């Protein structure tokens, strides 16, 4: 059974870069069938799609975040990562990694809370 | 960019039918999905590709999508169905979520 687990710093200072990793178990990130994605949810607010990456390396991003976001894969570790630059308080959120299949995110991690504060 | 609009809240009495709408330009030409999220939990898909139910999702959950509106219908709503519900669609290579609807039972 596919499982995803996010890991990250918990607290990031304003203007710095947020880096998160999603560890994949029960499946291979190199599987040609899938994208691997990131979604976030600010406290008390709705879901916001950040982006996803295809096994081939092609990545697609939310236009509103595109200038600050990079998603990458590490096949040797069976992980994929998110980098978000120049963070502000508005980037405070629970960050989820998730896998879409058949146009829907059918597998999610538990999420990791990231706070942006000095 | 593409936008999906949901009502902020819907109320329903136990045993009655709840309908949650999701509006977007030509949404009927795309596949719509619906997620249920309870406090402190990750979202769970309840409907995908407009009307399909994943295994383990009760039959009381159903979906439709036509024109500019997708609809999630919960028949015989139970107290355990009280949650936030989000619609989602793919627009070219990007994904869009609706703003979410709080269902109160």
């Amino acid at each position: 059974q596919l499982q995803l687990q996010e890991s990250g710093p918990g607290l990031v200072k304003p203007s710095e870069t947020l880096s998160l990793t999603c560890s994949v178990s029960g499946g291979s990130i190199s599987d040609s069938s899938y994208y691997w994605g990131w979604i976030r949810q600010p406290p008390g607010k709705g879901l916001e799609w950040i982006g996803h990456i295809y096994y081939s390396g092609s990545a697609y991003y939310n236009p509103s975040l595109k200038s600050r976001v990079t998603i990458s894969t590490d096949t040797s570790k069976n992980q994929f990562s998110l980098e978000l630059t120049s963070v502000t308080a508005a980037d405070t959120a629970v960050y989820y990694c998730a896998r879409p299949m058949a146009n829907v995110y059918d597998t999610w991690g538990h999420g990791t809370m990231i706070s942006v504060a000095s | 960019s593409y936008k999906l609009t949901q009502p902020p809240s819907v109320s329903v009495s136990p045993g009655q039918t709840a309908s949650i709408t999701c509006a977007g330009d030509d949404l009927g030409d795309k596949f719509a999905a619906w997620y249920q999220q309870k406090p402190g939990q990750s979202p769970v898909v309840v409907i995908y590709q407009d009307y399909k139910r994943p295994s383990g999702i009760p039959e009381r959950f159903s979906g439709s999508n036509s024109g500019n509106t997708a609809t999630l219908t919960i028949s015989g709503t139970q107290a355990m169905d009280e949650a936030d519900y989000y619609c989602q669609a793919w627009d070219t290579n990007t994904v869009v979520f609706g703003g979410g609807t709080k269902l109160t039972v």
Side-chain angles (χ1 to χ4, degrees), chain B residues 66-96:
Chain B
S66 180
N68 295 320
T69 304
T71 302
L72 172 69
T73 302
I74 310 172
S75 304
T77 307
Q78 300 183 9
M80 68 172 65
D81 300 328
E82 185 163 290
D84 294 326
Y85 290 85
Y86 296 90
C87 61
Q88 173 246 300
W90 283 59
D91 181 46
T92 317
N93 289 310
T94 62
V95 175
V96 180

Side-chain angles (χ1 to χ4, degrees), chain B residues 40-62:
Chain B
Q41 297 183 16
S42 302
V44 173
V45 59
V46 295
I47 294 289
Y48 69 102
Q49 290 185 350
D50 297 339
Y51 63 89
K52 297 178 180 179
R53 272 182 296 107
S55 59
I57 300 302
E59 290 184 7
R60 64 180 180 274
F61 288 86
S62 63

Side-chain angles (χ1 to χ4, degrees), chain B residues 7-21:
Chain B
S9 62
V10 169
S11 295
V12 63
S13 300
Q16 298 304 302
T17 296
S19 294
I20 301 173
T21 58

Side-chain angles (χ1 to χ4, degrees), chain A residues 24-41:
Chain A
V24 179
S25 58
S28 172
I29 200 169
S30 300
D31 192 321
S32 61
S33 304
Y34 303 119
Y35 289 88
W36 304 92
W38 291 95
I39 295 155
R40 71 181 183 179
Q41 185 172 34

